[in-house]
Amino acid sequence: INEDVSVFVGARRGYRAGGVTLAASIEDLASNVSLIEFDPEFLNTLEAGWRSVWMDGRLTFNGTAFFSEYQDQQGNFTDDRGFGITTNAGETTLYGLELSLDYAATDDWDIYGSLALKDTEFDEFLFTDDNPDTAIDETVDLTGNELSRAENLSFSIGTNYRHDSGLFGSAAVSYKSSYFSDIFNLDESVLPGGLTEKVDAAAVFNARIGYEFENGSIALVGQNIFDEDSPESINFASAGILNGSAGLSSTGNFTARPPRRFSVVLDVEF
């Protein structure tokens, strides 16, 4: 448009190779091995956006909108014998908007932020037991589910300060809305005892303050200062073809968020 504002439109096509899953136990390697083929996966993406500079270069404001579709998307599930196999499960749509802003308030101080909005959904996602050694006609249908760890909203806001005297500091908060830990989207409607694999929304605050001298720096660093304790992922079970029918198998994986931490960092150049 001009030297300060530009727009763009683009298209991309991504590719992940197909292959073969070897399904066999140690005892069966000599006599009962299943080779299960899966096709390549393709990702088609359309995007459009802008890049802009304002206020004599002190402010930048950028944005990108995107729309993506998976074709023959690969997925992992458990077959009737308890083996994890890869198969082509279906089609997926993703779309969203990403914004970023950076403002140099003074020569010493800047403020920045970013925002991401996105929606993800399996348009068709079917796990079927393709093991040629069984005659099972069962399917796990994940159509309509969200992708794993696909929060609808995330943002970050931060600031940096650096003085000619050597003093410096920074602070930032990052936020993610709730999301499911994996593609099975298991919650209290499926799991017993009111359990859910949906992780709550969380905001994490980090900060640093320090002093820079001639050949190094020293800083006090705080991470997760307000001690946000929600987990990063929760996995109680996974879906698959079990004992001839669609069902759940126990997994029991839990990823805790690192707690509040403070440290002193000394950097010296020799």
Side-chain angles (χ1 to χ4, degrees), residues 58-62 99-106 108-116 154-162 169-175 204-208 222:
R58 301 185 75 89
L59 175 68
T60 61
F61 179 46
N62 303 326
L99 303 174
S100 64
L101 183 144
D102 196 324
Y103 174 55
T106 68
D108 302 325
W109 178 35
D110 71 86
I111 304 168
Y112 62 89
S114 64
L115 171 70
S154 62
F155 68 80
S156 64
I157 301 173
T159 184
N160 297 302
Y161 178 78
R162 186 174 296 274
S170 64
V173 60
S174 59
Y175 170 87
V204 176
F205 182 74
N206 301 319
R208 167 190 298 254

Short mmCIF file of all heavy atoms in Angstrom, two decimals, residues 58-62 99-106 108-116 154-162 169-175 204-208 222:
data_model
loop_
_atom_site.label_atom_id
_atom_site.label_comp_id
_atom_site.label_asym_id
_atom_site.label_seq_id
_atom_site.Cartn_x
_atom_site.Cartn_y
_atom_site.Cartn_z
N ARG A 58 7.74 3.95 15.75
CA ARG A 58 7.71 3.56 17.16
C ARG A 58 6.67 2.47 17.43
O ARG A 58 6.75 1.77 18.45
CB ARG A 58 7.42 4.78 18.04
CG ARG A 58 8.44 5.90 17.89
CD ARG A 58 8.17 7.02 18.88
NE ARG A 58 8.59 6.64 20.22
CZ ARG A 58 9.82 6.85 20.69
NH1 ARG A 58 10.75 7.42 19.92
NH2 ARG A 58 10.14 6.50 21.91
N LEU A 59 5.70 2.32 16.53
CA LEU A 59 4.63 1.34 16.72
C LEU A 59 4.55 0.42 15.50
O LEU A 59 4.50 0.88 14.36
CB LEU A 59 3.30 2.05 16.91
CG LEU A 59 2.05 1.16 17.00
CD1 LEU A 59 2.06 0.34 18.29
CD2 LEU A 59 0.78 2.00 16.91
N THR A 60 4.55 -0.88 15.76
CA THR A 60 4.29 -1.85 14.69
C THR A 60 3.05 -2.65 15.06
O THR A 60 2.86 -3.03 16.23
CB THR A 60 5.47 -2.81 14.47
OG1 THR A 60 5.71 -3.57 15.68
CG2 THR A 60 6.73 -2.04 14.12
N PHE A 61 2.20 -2.89 14.06
CA PHE A 61 0.96 -3.64 14.27
C PHE A 61 0.78 -4.58 13.09
O PHE A 61 0.64 -4.14 11.95
CB PHE A 61 -0.22 -2.67 14.38
CG PHE A 61 -1.55 -3.36 14.58
CD1 PHE A 61 -1.70 -4.38 15.50
CD2 PHE A 61 -2.66 -2.97 13.85
CE1 PHE A 61 -2.91 -5.01 15.69
CE2 PHE A 61 -3.89 -3.58 14.02
CZ PHE A 61 -4.02 -4.61 14.95
N ASN A 62 0.80 -5.88 13.38
CA ASN A 62 0.74 -6.90 12.34
C ASN A 62 -0.40 -7.87 12.60
O ASN A 62 -0.79 -8.09 13.76
CB ASN A 62 2.05 -7.68 12.26
CG ASN A 62 3.26 -6.80 12.02
OD1 ASN A 62 3.17 -5.79 11.33
ND2 ASN A 62 4.39 -7.17 12.61
N LEU A 99 -2.65 -11.57 15.97
CA LEU A 99 -2.31 -10.15 15.99
C LEU A 99 -1.10 -9.94 16.88
O LEU A 99 -0.91 -10.62 17.89
CB LEU A 99 -3.48 -9.32 16.54
CG LEU A 99 -4.83 -9.44 15.84
CD1 LEU A 99 -5.90 -8.68 16.61
CD2 LEU A 99 -4.73 -8.95 14.41
N SER A 100 -0.25 -8.99 16.51
CA SER A 100 0.89 -8.63 17.35
C SER A 100 1.12 -7.12 17.29
O SER A 100 0.90 -6.49 16.25
CB SER A 100 2.16 -9.37 16.91
OG SER A 100 2.55 -8.98 15.61
N LEU A 101 1.54 -6.57 18.42
CA LEU A 101 1.77 -5.13 18.53
C LEU A 101 3.03 -4.89 19.35
O LEU A 101 3.26 -5.58 20.35
CB LEU A 101 0.57 -4.45 19.18
CG LEU A 101 0.60 -2.93 19.33
CD1 LEU A 101 -0.80 -2.35 19.13
CD2 LEU A 101 1.14 -2.52 20.70
N ASP A 102 3.84 -3.91 18.93
CA ASP A 102 5.06 -3.54 19.65
C ASP A 102 5.17 -2.03 19.63
O ASP A 102 5.17 -1.41 18.56
CB ASP A 102 6.29 -4.18 18.98
CG ASP A 102 7.51 -4.15 19.90
OD1 ASP A 102 7.67 -3.16 20.64
OD2 ASP A 102 8.29 -5.10 19.86
N TYR A 103 5.26 -1.42 20.84
CA TYR A 103 5.29 0.03 20.95
C TYR A 103 6.51 0.47 21.74
O TYR A 103 6.69 0.06 22.89
CB TYR A 103 4.02 0.53 21.63
CG TYR A 103 4.02 2.01 21.92
CD1 TYR A 103 4.22 2.94 20.91
CD2 TYR A 103 3.81 2.47 23.22
CE1 TYR A 103 4.22 4.30 21.18
CE2 TYR A 103 3.80 3.83 23.50
CZ TYR A 103 4.01 4.74 22.48
OH TYR A 103 4.01 6.08 22.76
N ALA A 104 7.36 1.29 21.13
CA ALA A 104 8.53 1.86 21.81
C ALA A 104 8.09 3.16 22.46
O ALA A 104 8.05 4.23 21.83
CB ALA A 104 9.65 2.09 20.82
N ALA A 105 7.72 3.10 23.74
CA ALA A 105 7.21 4.27 24.44
C ALA A 105 8.28 5.34 24.58
O ALA A 105 8.02 6.54 24.44
CB ALA A 105 6.66 3.87 25.80
N THR A 106 9.51 4.91 24.89
CA THR A 106 10.67 5.81 24.95
C THR A 106 11.86 5.05 24.39
O THR A 106 11.75 3.89 23.98
CB THR A 106 10.98 6.24 26.40
OG1 THR A 106 11.46 5.09 27.14
CG2 THR A 106 9.74 6.79 27.10
N ASP A 108 14.13 3.89 26.11
CA ASP A 108 14.50 2.88 27.11
C ASP A 108 13.41 1.85 27.36
O ASP A 108 13.69 0.80 27.96
CB ASP A 108 14.83 3.55 28.45
CG ASP A 108 15.96 4.55 28.34
OD1 ASP A 108 16.88 4.31 27.55
OD2 ASP A 108 15.90 5.59 29.04
N TRP A 109 12.18 2.15 26.95
CA TRP A 109 11.03 1.36 27.40
C TRP A 109 10.16 0.96 26.23
O TRP A 109 9.79 1.81 25.40
CB TRP A 109 10.24 2.19 28.40
CG TRP A 109 8.98 1.55 28.93
CD1 TRP A 109 8.78 0.23 29.19
CD2 TRP A 109 7.76 2.22 29.24
NE1 TRP A 109 7.52 0.03 29.66
CE2 TRP A 109 6.87 1.23 29.72
CE3 TRP A 109 7.36 3.56 29.20
CZ2 TRP A 109 5.57 1.54 30.12
CZ3 TRP A 109 6.08 3.86 29.61
CH2 TRP A 109 5.20 2.87 30.06
N ASP A 110 9.83 -0.33 26.12
CA ASP A 110 8.90 -0.77 25.09
C ASP A 110 7.86 -1.71 25.68
O ASP A 110 8.07 -2.35 26.71
CB ASP A 110 9.64 -1.45 23.93
CG ASP A 110 10.21 -2.81 24.30
OD1 ASP A 110 9.47 -3.81 24.21
OD2 ASP A 110 11.39 -2.88 24.68
N ILE A 111 6.72 -1.74 25.03
CA ILE A 111 5.57 -2.56 25.43
C ILE A 111 5.16 -3.41 24.23
O ILE A 111 5.17 -2.94 23.10
CB ILE A 111 4.39 -1.67 25.87
CG1 ILE A 111 4.82 -0.71 26.98
CG2 ILE A 111 3.21 -2.53 26.33
CD1 ILE A 111 3.80 0.38 27.25
N TYR A 112 4.82 -4.67 24.48
CA TYR A 112 4.44 -5.54 23.38
C TYR A 112 3.27 -6.43 23.79
O TYR A 112 2.98 -6.62 24.98
CB TYR A 112 5.62 -6.41 22.94
CG TYR A 112 6.13 -7.35 24.01
CD1 TYR A 112 5.60 -8.63 24.16
CD2 TYR A 112 7.16 -6.96 24.88
CE1 TYR A 112 6.06 -9.48 25.15
CE2 TYR A 112 7.62 -7.81 25.87
CZ TYR A 112 7.07 -9.06 26.00
OH TYR A 112 7.52 -9.91 26.98
N GLY A 113 2.60 -6.96 22.79
CA GLY A 113 1.50 -7.86 23.06
C GLY A 113 1.16 -8.69 21.83
O GLY A 113 1.50 -8.33 20.71
N SER A 114 0.51 -9.81 22.05
CA SER A 114 0.06 -10.66 20.96
C SER A 114 -1.25 -11.32 21.35
O SER A 114 -1.53 -11.53 22.54
CB SER A 114 1.11 -11.72 20.61
OG SER A 114 1.30 -12.61 21.70
N LEU A 115 -2.05 -11.64 20.35
CA LEU A 115 -3.35 -12.25 20.56
C LEU A 115 -3.58 -13.29 19.47
O LEU A 115 -3.30 -13.04 18.29
CB LEU A 115 -4.46 -11.19 20.50
CG LEU A 115 -5.91 -11.70 20.50
CD1 LEU A 115 -6.28 -12.28 21.85
CD2 LEU A 115 -6.87 -10.57 20.12
N ALA A 116 -4.08 -14.46 19.85
CA ALA A 116 -4.38 -15.52 18.88
C ALA A 116 -5.77 -16.07 19.16
O ALA A 116 -6.08 -16.46 20.29
CB ALA A 116 -3.34 -16.64 18.95
N SER A 154 -5.53 -17.23 23.17
CA SER A 154 -4.27 -17.06 23.91
C SER A 154 -3.77 -15.64 23.67
O SER A 154 -4.01 -15.06 22.61
CB SER A 154 -3.22 -18.09 23.49
OG SER A 154 -2.88 -17.93 22.12
N PHE A 155 -3.12 -15.09 24.69
CA PHE A 155 -2.52 -13.76 24.51
C PHE A 155 -1.35 -13.59 25.46
O PHE A 155 -1.21 -14.32 26.46
CB PHE A 155 -3.55 -12.64 24.72
CG PHE A 155 -4.06 -12.49 26.13
CD1 PHE A 155 -3.33 -11.82 27.10
CD2 PHE A 155 -5.29 -13.02 26.48
CE1 PHE A 155 -3.81 -11.68 28.40
CE2 PHE A 155 -5.78 -12.90 27.77
CZ PHE A 155 -5.03 -12.22 28.73
N SER A 156 -0.52 -12.64 25.15
CA SER A 156 0.59 -12.27 26.04
C SER A 156 0.76 -10.76 26.00
O SER A 156 0.54 -10.12 24.96
CB SER A 156 1.89 -12.97 25.63
OG SER A 156 2.30 -12.55 24.34
N ILE A 157 1.12 -10.19 27.14
CA ILE A 157 1.40 -8.76 27.26
C ILE A 157 2.68 -8.64 28.07
O ILE A 157 2.84 -9.29 29.11
CB ILE A 157 0.27 -8.02 27.97
CG1 ILE A 157 -1.06 -8.19 27.21
CG2 ILE A 157 0.59 -6.53 28.10
CD1 ILE A 157 -2.25 -7.62 27.94
N GLY A 158 3.59 -7.80 27.61
CA GLY A 158 4.85 -7.65 28.32
C GLY A 158 5.48 -6.30 28.12
O GLY A 158 5.05 -5.49 27.29
N THR A 159 6.53 -6.06 28.88
CA THR A 159 7.26 -4.81 28.78
C THR A 159 8.73 -5.03 29.09
O THR A 159 9.08 -5.92 29.88
CB THR A 159 6.66 -3.75 29.74
OG1 THR A 159 7.32 -2.50 29.56
CG2 THR A 159 6.79 -4.18 31.19
N ASN A 160 9.59 -4.24 28.46
CA ASN A 160 11.03 -4.28 28.70
C ASN A 160 11.54 -2.89 28.99
O ASN A 160 11.08 -1.91 28.38
CB ASN A 160 11.77 -4.81 27.46
CG ASN A 160 11.40 -6.24 27.12
OD1 ASN A 160 11.56 -7.14 27.92
ND2 ASN A 160 10.89 -6.45 25.92
N TYR A 161 12.48 -2.78 29.93
CA TYR A 161 13.08 -1.48 30.25
C TYR A 161 14.58 -1.67 30.40
O TYR A 161 15.05 -2.63 31.01
CB TYR A 161 12.50 -0.94 31.56
CG TYR A 161 13.11 0.39 31.98
CD1 TYR A 161 12.71 1.58 31.38
CD2 TYR A 161 14.11 0.44 32.96
CE1 TYR A 161 13.27 2.79 31.75
CE2 TYR A 161 14.67 1.65 33.34
CZ TYR A 161 14.26 2.81 32.72
OH TYR A 161 14.83 4.01 33.09
N ARG A 162 15.33 -0.77 29.80
CA ARG A 162 16.78 -0.80 29.90
C ARG A 162 17.30 0.64 29.97
O ARG A 162 17.07 1.43 29.06
CB ARG A 162 17.38 -1.53 28.71
CG ARG A 162 18.89 -1.74 28.81
CD ARG A 162 19.41 -2.61 27.67
NE ARG A 162 18.87 -3.95 27.73
CZ ARG A 162 19.40 -4.93 28.46
NH1 ARG A 162 20.49 -4.71 29.19
NH2 ARG A 162 18.86 -6.13 28.44
N GLY A 169 14.96 -4.36 33.29
CA GLY A 169 13.89 -5.18 33.84
C GLY A 169 12.90 -5.57 32.77
O GLY A 169 12.83 -4.94 31.71
N SER A 170 12.13 -6.59 33.04
CA SER A 170 11.09 -7.02 32.12
C SER A 170 10.01 -7.75 32.91
O SER A 170 10.26 -8.28 33.99
CB SER A 170 11.65 -7.94 31.03
OG SER A 170 12.17 -9.13 31.59
N ALA A 171 8.80 -7.75 32.35
CA ALA A 171 7.69 -8.46 32.96
C ALA A 171 6.73 -8.86 31.86
O ALA A 171 6.57 -8.14 30.87
CB ALA A 171 6.98 -7.59 34.00
N ALA A 172 6.09 -10.02 32.01
CA ALA A 172 5.17 -10.49 30.98
C ALA A 172 4.16 -11.44 31.60
O ALA A 172 4.48 -12.19 32.53
CB ALA A 172 5.92 -11.19 29.86
N VAL A 173 2.95 -11.40 31.09
CA VAL A 173 1.92 -12.35 31.46
C VAL A 173 1.44 -13.05 30.19
O VAL A 173 1.27 -12.42 29.15
CB VAL A 173 0.74 -11.66 32.19
CG1 VAL A 173 0.09 -10.61 31.32
CG2 VAL A 173 -0.28 -12.70 32.67
N SER A 174 1.27 -14.35 30.27
CA SER A 174 0.75 -15.12 29.14
C SER A 174 -0.48 -15.90 29.60
O SER A 174 -0.53 -16.41 30.73
CB SER A 174 1.81 -16.08 28.60
OG SER A 174 2.24 -16.99 29.60
N TYR A 175 -1.46 -15.99 28.71
CA TYR A 175 -2.75 -16.61 29.06
C TYR A 175 -3.15 -17.59 27.98
O TYR A 175 -2.96 -17.33 26.77
CB TYR A 175 -3.82 -15.52 29.19
CG TYR A 175 -5.23 -16.08 29.31
CD1 TYR A 175 -5.77 -16.43 30.54
CD2 TYR A 175 -6.03 -16.24 28.18
CE1 TYR A 175 -7.05 -16.94 30.65
CE2 TYR A 175 -7.32 -16.76 28.28
CZ TYR A 175 -7.83 -17.10 29.52
OH TYR A 175 -9.09 -17.61 29.63
N VAL A 204 0.08 -17.05 33.42
CA VAL A 204 1.38 -17.19 34.09
C VAL A 204 2.14 -15.87 33.97
O VAL A 204 2.23 -15.29 32.88
CB VAL A 204 2.21 -18.34 33.46
CG1 VAL A 204 3.59 -18.41 34.10
CG2 VAL A 204 1.47 -19.66 33.63
N PHE A 205 2.68 -15.41 35.11
CA PHE A 205 3.39 -14.13 35.16
C PHE A 205 4.87 -14.37 35.45
O PHE A 205 5.23 -15.05 36.42
CB PHE A 205 2.79 -13.24 36.24
CG PHE A 205 3.42 -11.88 36.35
CD1 PHE A 205 3.17 -10.90 35.40
CD2 PHE A 205 4.29 -11.59 37.39
CE1 PHE A 205 3.75 -9.65 35.49
CE2 PHE A 205 4.87 -10.34 37.50
CZ PHE A 205 4.61 -9.37 36.54
N ASN A 206 5.74 -13.83 34.60
CA ASN A 206 7.19 -13.92 34.76
C ASN A 206 7.78 -12.50 34.81
O ASN A 206 7.25 -11.58 34.19
CB ASN A 206 7.83 -14.69 33.61
CG ASN A 206 7.29 -16.10 33.48
OD1 ASN A 206 7.08 -16.79 34.47
ND2 ASN A 206 7.08 -16.53 32.26
N ALA A 207 8.89 -12.34 35.53
CA ALA A 207 9.54 -11.02 35.61
C ALA A 207 11.03 -11.19 35.85
O ALA A 207 11.50 -12.24 36.32
CB ALA A 207 8.92 -10.17 36.70
N ARG A 208 11.77 -10.14 35.52
CA ARG A 208 13.21 -10.12 35.71
C ARG A 208 13.66 -8.69 35.99
O ARG A 208 13.17 -7.74 35.38
CB ARG A 208 13.88 -10.66 34.44
CG ARG A 208 15.37 -10.43 34.31
CD ARG A 208 15.87 -10.79 32.91
NE ARG A 208 15.66 -12.19 32.59
CZ ARG A 208 16.63 -13.09 32.55
NH1 ARG A 208 17.88 -12.74 32.78
NH2 ARG A 208 16.36 -14.34 32.25
N GLY A 222 12.07 -14.22 38.26
CA GLY A 222 10.91 -14.88 38.85
C GLY A 222 10.08 -15.52 37.76
O GLY A 222 9.75 -14.88 36.76
#
